Amino acid sequence: MRFGKTLRQSVYPPWKDQYIDYAKLKSILREDKPDDEDEPWTEEDENRFCDEIFNTQLEKVAKFQEAKIEELRNRTDEAAEKLKHLNEQQQSEEGGEGDAVQEEGEEGKHGEVAVDKQKLKEMEAELDGITNEVKELQKYSNLNYTGFLKIVKKHDRKRGDRYKIRPMMQVNLSNRPFNSEQAYSPLLNKLSYMYFAIRRFEAPDAGDVLPIDPDSQPETHNGEKYTAHKFWVHPDNLLEVKTYILRRLPALVYSEQSAKEVDGQQDPTITSLYFDNAKFQLYSKKVEREAEASSLRLRWYGQLSARPEILLEQKLLHENGTSEERKFAIKEKYVKAFLDGEYKMEKSVQKMERKGQKAEDVEEFKGTADAIQEFVKDNKLEPLVRANYVRTAFQNPGDDRVRISIDTDIAFIREDTLDRDRPCRDPKDWHRADIDNSNMTHPFKNINQSEVSRFPYAVLEIKLKEDVNNKRGRPVWIQDLMGSHLVHPCPRFSKFVQGVASLFEDYVNRLPFWLSDLNTDIRKDPQRAFQEEEERRARRAENEQVVGSFLGTKLSSYKPSRSSPAAKSYLADRMATDAAAAAASPKSGVTTSNQQQAVSTPAGDEAGESSQSQPLIPRENREINYGTLSSVLPGFSLSKYSRAKRAREAGITSLPPGVTEPKEWIKNSGPLQIEPKVWLANERTFLKWQHICVLLGGLAISLYTASASSKGGNLLGEVMGMVFLGVAAFTGGWSWWVLRRRREMIVGRSGKDFDFVLGPMVVAGALGVALVVNFGIAYQQAFEKHWGGDGGHHGNRSGVDMGDLR
């Protein structure tokens, strides 16, 4: 289907005038005119098209998105206020009944109050309306994002003889904050917590399980629940990320093929063969995040000629956001027959029965095979794109609570037969024989390069088991890595989606948001990245605390990181301030058992790390007045008085016994690697300064010697010689100090500026003053010689100056 038709069918009626005018842009490009009737494309035509797409269409879409997001935020805040007032009103009504309520029965284990069911339904309907508009806005953004990329590609292909504007459009789109996966996460996160509060009002015994983080992906493997976090890693940061992980987790050898290669030292190459049909239905459902979206792939390790075990895997995405995986092993010779429906894994079933496996396991295997085969048949699936990559895995042996993998050398290759005249793969085979028979490896230079797309970054995936994903138990070093400058978050990244979007752009009408990030530098300033992560975690903690205040419970698990001097965030300061104020208040009669206990450091490495991540206040103080709405919102004040108050009270903070403050940033924890050109540049600068020092010193000595040896002496020349000699000495000392200082900054990985402007200014200023003074005195003496009465005597004494050196 052409994109223009897709756009017309996908328009949300209330916003129909706010979409990109794709038809108008095509008419400006004269897309529909045949080449023989087309007029020459002039500079005026180019200016008209660029003005229309950048200044009119892009600005129209951007302003609407910005206004709509702000409107949805305001509506969400208003709904939160209504929920708060509803709770306060109900609490005041229940409070009037006094002890009678307690005698009749408890309202709930966690302090929930009975709220009017009708009002809760109205509140839930209001949240449903906001959520639906957020989803429509996401679709609106994706549709316009795809439209802009499609139309500039048409321009570059037909009118781009002189100007290519696709790179400029990609930069413009990447600079728009709403054209990213993270643009809507904070809003969805807050809505999810409000839904959580309403559910708890309706079902007080539902438990304290918090909503799913929009920036993560729940998964199920072998019946175990995990939460997956995905990131990109720039090649410059790859070694540092690997060494950082290796300090905590060992590299994992998880396949027989990789164990046989070089004593298990070489990371295995993995090939994933993804399926779809000619209409790209699986791709479209995945990009649009439709319920029950699925993907299918064949996966094996190493080269296919080595006859590895092949896994046929189906990944199911459920409506609640979770996913699960079905898979079974199949031999290479049976793959084609199974995909064609001629083989139903009978031999594998018979083998299982001969081995005496449980009947339920055999039935489960048959059910999985039949379901996948039916899925292939119903959707007319065939191999479409291949992903080839090298995987490095990290995991403690026998402990699957934390699983980390890094995929490098990622390449996507076409495996389709869409063009029947020139198919990429033999239609009678299920894979490309030209690649597998020749054992071709990355970067795949022996095939048509238009059929290959190489991914520029490594992909880091962190999977945390459900119990580890509990905020109280997540290792601090993982939180620090996820929030550091070394990684770029991309929570919805999919190799299948990336491969299709990069190789079949002309065939699909929806593109993922992360495409624009591929043309930008994902490296970040360490300090800025840390502060952004702290602010994100603080906002999430605020949502948890606000919901806790609704329910009378403590839901927040915020733990400010201590891996950087920037770790002392404003939320940590607020917590310390509130706790200290409550502890020092003479009116407070609150005493808890925790206040009477000494603070102790939990045993074990992970427990010790958790202690380091706690705010720098005693535990007993942290428990006071924390988790209620009154203690959350006022503390977020950034006024001068609030900052001064936090600064005055910062002196009472102290670390728990046995816990030491980290002295090293994450960016400094890897091995010291300095390129030779950095040292040589520093030394080259030092030698240049020494050259200036020698020139000035030679000038000073020559000037002083010539002046002293002249008839009658030359006081001015001698003085200027001494001045130049002093400047030369300063130049030599300054160059030595700068050499040592910059060497210390390089070794210490300092992020400060390497410029030192004082020395050049002093040298230049001293030389300038000396020359001006010399010129002034010489001019005065020359004037007296020719016009003054006794100027001849003085003129003879000034006859030896800088001109005598010639």
Side-chain angles (χ1 to χ4, degrees), residues 516-535:
S516 58
D517 291 339
L518 294 177
N519 297 277
T520 60
D521 190 353
I522 64 172
R523 290 172 293 186
K524 309 172 187 175
D525 176 70
Q527 189 81 1
R528 181 178 179 183
F530 192 92
Q531 292 173 351
E532 290 176 352
E533 175 64 15
E534 279 289 279
E535 292 173 2

Side-chain angles (χ1 to χ4, degrees), residues 589-625:
V590 179
T591 303
T592 65
S593 60
N594 290 334
Q595 287 177 294
Q596 301 170 359
Q597 298 176 358
V599 179
S600 60
T601 304
D605 293 339
E606 291 187 4
E609 287 180 336
S610 298
S611 299
Q612 292 179 24
S613 68
Q614 291 287 349
L616 299 182
I617 55 176
R619 181 186 303 176
E620 60 270 19
N621 290 347
R622 291 201 301 268
E623 296 292 332
I624 300 176
N625 287 349

Side-chain angles (χ1 to χ4, degrees), residues 112-129:
E112 296 89 341
V113 294
V115 182
D116 188 357
K117 299 296 184 181
Q118 183 61 34
K119 293 182 179 179
L120 285 179
K121 289 183 179 179
E122 295 175 359
M123 182 64 63
E124 188 172 0
E126 185 174 352
L127 293 182
D128 289 340

Side-chain angles (χ1 to χ4, degrees), residues 286-303:
K286 199 168 183 66
V287 172
E288 297 173 11
R289 302 181 191 176
E290 293 186 7
E292 304 303 326
S294 300
S295 61
L296 185 68
R297 70 177 180 181
L298 285 164
R299 179 167 59 90
W300 66 88
Y301 295 89
Q303 296 294 339

Side-chain angles (χ1 to χ4, degrees), residues 167 170-175 232 234 456-457 488 514-523:
Q170 289 176 323
V171 171
N172 273 271
L173 291 174
S174 64
N175 291 334
W232 292 349
H234 194 278
Y457 306 123
H488 176 77
W514 64 72
L515 282 186
S516 58
D517 291 339
L518 294 177
N519 297 277
T520 60
D521 190 353
I522 64 172
R523 290 172 293 186

Side-chain angles (χ1 to χ4, degrees), residues 1 57 98 108 113 322 404 418 427 475 533 539 608 613 680 723 748 773 800:
M1 183 185 299
Q57 299 297 328
V113 294
T322 61
I404 299 178
L418 298 177
E533 175 64 15
R539 285 194 297 268
S613 68
L680 296 176
V723 171
V773 171
V800 180

Side-chain angles (χ1 to χ4, degrees), residues 643-702:
R643 291 197 301 267
K645 181 180 179 182
R646 288 194 291 268
R648 288 195 305 270
E649 296 179 347
I652 66 172
T653 61
S654 61
L655 286 168
V659 179
T660 58
E661 183 175 356
K663 303 297 184 182
E664 192 173 38
W665 288 30
I666 291 181
K667 73 179 184 67
N668 296 341
S669 60
L672 182 63
Q673 294 179 340
I674 301 174
E675 296 183 9
K677 65 180 182 181
V678 177
W679 296 111
L680 296 176
N682 191 26
E683 294 179 0
R684 187 166 57 249
T685 306
F686 171 71
L687 293 177
K688 288 288 186 181
W689 275 99
Q690 290 298 310
H691 180 66
I692 296 174
C693 175
V694 172
L695 289 178
L696 291 176
L699 174 64
I701 293 175
S702 299

